[in-house]
């Protein structure tokens, strides 16, 4: 990763055109995962929402349902995660690295059932061009809340069993598609606390030319910790969000 997306069959059935009758079940299985991914699968079985974030969904079931695909792959330099960078022209979270994902559409199905799984795979396909058939969903983490946007997000964990070409599909939505290795994410030299202009602090990762922060960094931080991959790092190190300047 990243790879150039292949051309698509113009007659192919898109996720938006699927009717409830045409939906196929999304299997969730941790069978056959590589050994290095087992700690993540084990942690996902028992993790409690409060272990992931202090921002939990409203008790009145408010918020907009959304899902992201936390996709692990086996890259040339070892285990890695697939990320995107949002286009700078977007109204929210412009230029911010993120997991592929977005809001649930009606055709995705029940937000309390398989809807988040379908949404995560659909959005990943729309944003990166990956083939969902090559992704093995092995777990779904508890739903988390993003107060600034009102999204209730389901992080869907996937193993890229059969990698396919990926790249920017719509430049108006995605600036780039890239991967980060788990080794870089766990390297203490790449870790810091991001300082928001309003003074908020949150975990961040400085990987290559990207500063990964916000919701995405928070989920990565918790996965590394719960999987036992985290290494001691300097939590007093501060990085402003305009760090390139």
């Amino acid at each position: 990763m990243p790879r150039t997306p292949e051309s698509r069959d113009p007659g192919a059935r898109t996720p938006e055109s699927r009717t409830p009758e045409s939906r196929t079940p999304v299997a969730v299985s941790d069978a056959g995962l590589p050994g290095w991914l087992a700690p993540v699968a084990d942690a996902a079985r028992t993790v409690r929402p409060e272990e992931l974030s202090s921002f939990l969904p409203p008790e009145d079931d408010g918020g907009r349902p959304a899902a992201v695909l936390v996709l692990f792959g086996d890259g040339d330099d070892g285990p890695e995660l697939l990320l995107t960078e949002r286009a700078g022209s977007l109204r929210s979270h412009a230029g911010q690295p993120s997991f592929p994902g977005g809001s649930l559409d009606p055709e995705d199905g029940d937000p309390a059932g398989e809807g988040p799984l379908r949404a995560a795979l659909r959005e990943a396909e729309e944003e990166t061009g990956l083939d969902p058939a090559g992704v093995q969903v092995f777990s779904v983490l508890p739903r988390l809340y993003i107060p600034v946007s009102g999204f209730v997000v389901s992080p869907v964990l996937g193993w890229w069993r059969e990698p396919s070409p990926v790249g920017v599909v719509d430049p108006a939505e995605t600036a780039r598609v890239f991967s980060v290795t788990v080794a870089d994410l766990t390297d203490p030299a790449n870790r810091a606390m991001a300082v928001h202009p309003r003074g908020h602090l949150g975990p961040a990762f400085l990987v290559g030319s990207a500063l990964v922060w916000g919701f995405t960094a928070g989920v990565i931080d918790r996965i590394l910790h719960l999987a036992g991959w985290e290494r001691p790092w300097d939590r007093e190190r501060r990085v402003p969000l305009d760090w390139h300047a």
Side-chain angles (χ1 to χ4, degrees):
M1 297 189 287
R3 306 172 178 87
T4 304
E6 298 173 332
S7 59
R8 301 186 190 179
D9 178 0
R13 193 177 185 84
T14 63
E16 292 82 356
S17 66
R18 294 174 186 150
T19 63
E21 293 76 15
S22 68
R23 294 191 197 121
T24 56
V26 180
V28 179
S29 172
D30 58 9
L33 293 179
W36 60 264
L37 200 47
V40 178
D42 290 343
R45 293 190 191 99
T46 59
V47 64
R48 301 186 306 275
E50 57 270 20
E51 293 181 277
L52 295 172
S53 174
S54 58
F55 298 109
L56 303 181
E59 294 182 1
D60 61 1
D61 291 329
R64 295 184 290 171
V68 295
L69 181 63
V70 184
L71 184 59
F72 291 90
D74 232 337
D76 295 337
D77 297 317
E80 59 187 13
L81 275 174
L82 180 69
L83 296 178
T84 66
E85 182 180 311
R86 294 171 59 82
S89 58
L90 294 176
R91 287 184 296 178
S92 63
H93 307 293
Q96 186 173 343
S98 64
F99 299 117
S103 301
L104 268 68
D105 286 347
E107 54 269 15
D108 293 323
D110 185 0
E114 293 187 346
L117 282 68
R118 291 195 183 92
L121 294 172
R122 174 183 56 76
E123 288 282 349
E125 181 180 13
E126 293 175 2
E127 294 176 5
T128 74
L130 66 75
D131 182 359
V135 176
Q136 177 181 338
V137 174
F138 65 89
S139 190
V140 182
L141 296 179
R143 296 181 306 155
L144 305 176
Y145 187 55
I146 303 181
V148 68
S149 59
F151 281 116
V152 176
V153 185
S154 297
V156 177
L157 304 184
W159 157 239
W160 211 355
R161 186 184 64 254
E162 297 178 9
S164 53
V166 294
V168 173
V169 175
D170 182 0
E173 182 177 1
T174 306
R176 64 171 173 148
V177 178
F178 64 105
S179 61
V180 291
T181 66
V182 171
D184 281 343
L185 292 170
T186 57
D187 187 342
N190 296 333
R191 304 219 51 183
M193 296 293 286
V195 183
H196 191 276
R198 295 181 179 178
H200 305 310
L201 292 176
F205 300 85
L206 297 92
V207 284
S209 61
L211 173 64
V212 183
W213 62 282
F215 175 83
T216 302
V219 172
I220 294 174
D221 172 77
R222 292 295 82 199
I223 288 176
L224 297 182
H225 174 74
L226 294 169
W229 292 347
E230 184 180 36
R231 297 163 58 189
W233 56 283
D234 183 6
R235 296 176 182 273
E236 297 303 316
R237 182 187 182 192
R238 301 289 188 262
V239 177
L241 292 184
D242 60 349
W243 68 299
H244 275 305

